[in-house]
Amino acid sequence: MAAPTLPAGAVLQPRKGTGFRQFKSAFATVAIVGAFVAAAVPLVALVYYVAREGLKVFSWEFLTTDLPFSQRSVEGGIYPAIIGTLIITVGATLIAVPLGVMGGIYLNEYGARSRFAAIVRFLSEILTGVPSIVMGLFIYTFWVLPRGADGFSALAGSLALGALMLPVVIRTSEEMLKLVPHELREGSLALGSRKSRTIRTVVLPHAAPGIVSGSLLAVARAAGETAPLLFVIGATNLVNWDWLSGSNTALSVQIFGNAASPFVPAQERAFGAAVTLILIVFLATAIARIVTVVYTRRVSGAA
Amino acid sequence: MTSEPAMPPAATAGDTITRVDLTPTQVRPPEVPADPGPVPGREVVFDLSTVEIFYGEARAVTDVDLDIARNEISAFIGPSGCGKTTVLRSLNRMHDLTPGARVAGTITYHGEDLYGPKVDAAEVRRRIGMVFQKPNPFPKSIFDNIAYGPRINGVRKRSELEGIVEQALTRAALWGEVKEKLKSSALSLSGGQAQRLCIARALAVDPDVLLMDEPCSALDPIATARIEDLMEELKETLTIVIVTHNMQQAARVSDRTAFYTAEADDNGRRVGKLVEYDATATIFTKPSDPRTEGYITGRFG
């Protein structure tokens, strides 16, 4: 049982072949940084271009006046579209997030390996891939058409966006619930807690940050969707605060309509609306993140 | 640089230990029944007879006959995969949560069938608390962790909860360390503190039995010693069943010890079984089964 022998002489010098390994390492670093830059360029360019064009018309007045009746008009703002986007998106969130989270809870905590859960999981996966315009068509056929001329409303838009968000929220909720350590569930149940209480007081608070992030991505996506709204919310140039009835409009729809217009004022309005939409999504994301962090700190007490 | 002072290399130390072959073919059948039978003066809390536990089709443990008496610490020892944790978890119906797990045979708790048709598993777990291998504090404040159980039982009044929390933490020997920071996160505690928090959390519902599944395996010797002292104190009011890999621990803290082992069945699957259950002193000094002796001496040299 001899101790391993050390080579005589200097042992801390680079071994043979180290140079090539160092070259490979340096090459990989450069490649990764290069890939990041390549990915970042379009993002920065997009924000820069939209901001440069959009800020030309961006002003308080632009945000707070009604849409002009002529695309040629340089007057008027996009106030109705902002309100429309907010109402439709908040409505869609109120419909899709509670349903989706409950669906996720069913799949992970109750259904688990049952056949029904497998079917639901499979269908929601398929739904994730359904083109958004198909969702619009679906709501148009089943909600708008049967109601005739009164069918167009922000609610119809919320339903279309909600249908779009639902499968995403279900899947993220399930994934986040899966990440809750099994020991926490057992710890709660071992104290005589029932399953529903365990889910409410231990499992959900633990999964909440992830569920909020996932839902938020879905909301941000939905807020910018045009296709599902095109033929379900109708069209208007005036503010409509009513969620349940009356035609409405949205920023995405305004961008779509104005950007394709031959008139310069309309094109500028499209960019102004684009900047506004980006800002709204950014603000909503930031607020939700802050709320989640504060909530998590309060629940876990962790710094 | 190539030579080294002559010293017995650590790797050969194991060769001096008498190894006893534990393969089933060389083991004699036990001459003494595993269950020593009722001992006068002991109040039986759990009585297990011909217990078998399955995970789906696979039999995890079989032939478990033992009784656990009040105010005693019973230790389950044995090699990995011998079913000791499986048996422990059958005592508070934790297997209900594992799809496909099934308990056969009878387990009575104070004479009542633990798996009877009208038994409420949540009620069972309120009386029979559990401490897990890995400390599992909830991501809540220290106070809310301890108050969790009492709140399930409907305690709402703040003053009452405060009393329970202080009492539970005191019993778990943690009060002095955390009384100033009850509102901070339980996740900020060290491993040993977190495990004592989990013990306090289990004590807060005033259980009759405490099941401990390798409670010290993640802890350093000092934290382990504190928990062992704690068990000694808790024994006055509670019945404790502990699963441990550490035989010295079993020898130090327990009154009775059950030795389990895993043996291949007719189909070649390894199935855990109870080999011997007796007073701890007997198990460690004159075990009646050669497999027990082999396991104990194999480790102690």
Side-chain angles (χ1 to χ4, degrees):
Chain A
M1 270 292 196
T5 53
L6 288 171
V11 291
L12 300 176
Q13 304 300 316
R15 292 189 206 180
K16 212 176 152 232
T18 302
F20 182 58
R21 285 208 309 274
Q22 281 172 342
F23 169 75
K24 277 197 294 187
S25 169
F27 179 78
T29 309
V30 170
I32 288 165
V33 171
F36 168 73
V37 171
V41 163
L43 286 177
V44 174
L46 183 134
V47 172
Y48 170 74
Y49 184 69
V50 171
R52 194 189 64 186
E53 295 299 313
L55 290 177
K56 284 181 194 163
V57 292
F58 199 76
S59 66
W60 183 246
E61 208 192 333
F62 179 73
L63 296 178
T64 54
T65 43
D66 284 343
L67 290 155
F69 281 85
S70 161
Q71 289 200 332
R72 266 172 284 196
S73 166
V74 290
E75 303 283 306
I78 48 154
Y79 180 53
I82 294 175
I83 299 306
T85 287
L86 290 179
I87 290 176
I88 292 166
T89 313
V90 170
T93 310
L94 290 180
I95 293 169
V97 170
L99 276 180
V101 171
M102 283 191 272
I105 291 174
Y106 170 76
L107 287 183
N108 196 56
E109 308 291 326
Y110 291 93
R113 282 182 274 176
S114 72
R115 176 169 289 259
F116 179 65
I119 292 171
V120 172
R121 209 172 278 134
F122 178 66
L123 287 180
S124 66
E125 217 154 83
I126 290 179
L127 271 179
T128 321
V130 169
S132 57
I133 195 158
V134 175
M135 290 296 183
L137 199 61
F138 168 70
I139 298 300
Y140 180 70
T141 318
F142 284 91
W143 183 269
V144 180
L145 276 186
R147 282 165 183 73
D150 300 328
F152 297 118
S153 66
L155 174 60
S158 293
L159 289 174
L161 294 189
L164 207 60
M165 287 161 60
L166 190 58
V168 181
V169 178
I170 291 177
R171 293 315 307 255
T172 25
S173 302
E174 192 193 358
E175 293 304 319
M176 292 305 133
L177 291 170
K178 236 184 241 169
L179 295 179
V180 176
H182 197 59
E183 295 89 56
L184 287 184
R185 290 194 180 86
E186 287 197 329
S188 170
L189 293 162
L191 291 168
S193 174
R194 282 174 208 288
K195 194 169 180 175
S196 57
R197 194 188 180 102
T198 298
I199 291 169
R200 205 154 32 89
T201 56
V202 173
V203 177
L204 267 185
H206 194 274
I211 292 177
V212 170
S213 297
S215 305
L216 219 83
L217 279 178
V219 171
R221 265 245 75 117
E225 278 291 346
T226 316
L229 300 181
L230 275 178
F231 34 75
V232 302
I233 60 170
T236 178
N237 288 7
L238 302 171
V239 168
N240 178 8
W241 282 98
D242 191 347
W243 183 45
L244 298 174
S245 64
S247 287
N248 219 313
T249 187
L251 286 168
S252 55
V253 174
Q254 287 303 320
I255 297 170
F256 177 75
N258 285 315
S261 160
F263 307 111
V264 175
Q267 292 166 9
E268 285 179 341
R269 236 190 325 277
F271 276 104
V275 170
T276 315
L277 187 55
I278 291 174
L279 275 179
I280 288 175
V281 169
F282 173 77
L283 280 179
T285 314
I287 289 168
R289 286 251 181 247
I290 291 166
V291 168
T292 320
V293 168
V294 171
Y295 172 79
T296 323
R297 284 229 181 108
R298 197 171 59 79
V299 168
S300 69
Chain B
M1 270 202 125
T2 52
S3 69
E4 204 174 65
M7 236 169 53
T12 57
D15 296 345
T16 61
I17 294 173
T18 320
R19 292 252 181 236
V20 177
D21 199 339
L22 287 176
T23 49
T25 48
Q26 305 200 350
V27 172
R28 283 178 287 128
E31 284 150 15
V32 181
D35 189 347
V39 175
R42 290 171 78 227
E43 186 189 337
V44 173
V45 177
F46 287 107
D47 191 356
L48 287 73
S49 85
T50 62
V51 168
E52 277 187 294
I53 302 169
F54 298 83
Y55 290 121
E57 292 298 302
R59 202 158 51 148
V61 61
T62 186
D63 287 346
V64 180
D65 278 87
L66 54 80
D67 53 22
I68 288 160
R70 189 166 177 174
N71 301 115
E72 278 187 1
I73 299 179
S74 308
F76 290 180
I77 62 168
S80 295
C82 68
K84 52 196 189 302
T85 295
T86 302
V87 173
L88 186 81
R89 290 167 66 91
S90 73
L91 299 180
N92 68 341
R93 295 192 54 164
M94 287 306 273
H95 290 304
D96 292 16
L97 315 170
T98 317
R102 189 163 59 82
V103 178
T106 52
I107 302 178
T108 62
Y109 169 70
H110 291 293
E112 196 180 343
D113 184 4
L114 198 61
Y115 286 81
K118 282 189 176 163
V119 171
D120 177 3
E123 201 55 51
V124 166
R125 298 190 200 111
R126 265 171 228 185
R127 294 180 179 279
I128 305 167
M130 192 163 202
V131 175
F132 297 83
Q133 182 172 3
K134 216 174 102 191
N136 57 350
F138 300 136
K140 299 173 185 290
S141 71
I142 292 171
F143 184 92
D144 286 339
N145 261 275
I146 311 294
Y148 189 82
R151 279 180 175 143
I152 294 169
N153 294 343
V155 180
R156 284 277 167 275
K157 267 170 70 186
R158 187 81 190 173
S159 56
E160 202 176 333
L161 282 173
E162 278 166 1
I164 293 172
V165 168
E166 175 170 354
Q167 200 195 359
L169 284 169
T170 308
R171 280 178 85 187
L174 190 60
W175 176 249
E177 288 158 68
V178 301
K179 64 181 173 193
E180 303 297 330
K181 51 171 191 173
L182 291 175
K183 280 194 179 135
S184 51
S185 170
L187 303 181
S188 65
L189 298 174
S190 71
Q193 288 176 326
Q195 194 61 300
R196 275 179 286 147
L197 176 91
C198 293
I199 294 173
R201 190 173 67 186
L203 293 176
V205 290
D206 206 11
D208 174 47
V209 180
L210 199 57
L211 307 176
M212 305 177 102
D213 186 4
E214 296 182 40
C216 301
S217 64
L219 307 182
D220 67 33
I222 296 166
T224 302
R226 300 194 72 140
I227 293 201
E228 287 177 4
D229 290 346
L230 181 57
M231 288 167 67
E232 236 11 89
E233 283 161 34
L234 292 175
K235 191 178 118 174
E236 303 299 318
T237 48
L238 283 172
T239 305
I240 295 176
V241 186
I242 177 174
V243 164
T244 178
H245 265 301
N246 180 334
M247 280 189 290
Q248 289 96 323
Q249 181 172 57
R252 278 193 302 264
V253 301
S254 74
D255 300 297
R256 295 173 82 78
T257 298
F259 171 67
Y260 294 80
T261 192
E263 288 173 4
D265 67 1
D266 303 338
N267 303 322
R269 281 210 200 92
R270 289 181 74 73
V271 178
K273 54 167 51 167
L274 177 65
V275 175
E276 192 171 354
Y277 177 55
D278 212 326
T280 299
T282 313
I283 292 278
F284 281 94
T285 54
K286 38 184 195 303
S288 50
D289 193 287
R291 291 169 291 182
T292 315
E293 190 180 355
Y295 185 71
I296 288 162
T297 53
R299 291 297 173 87
F300 281 161

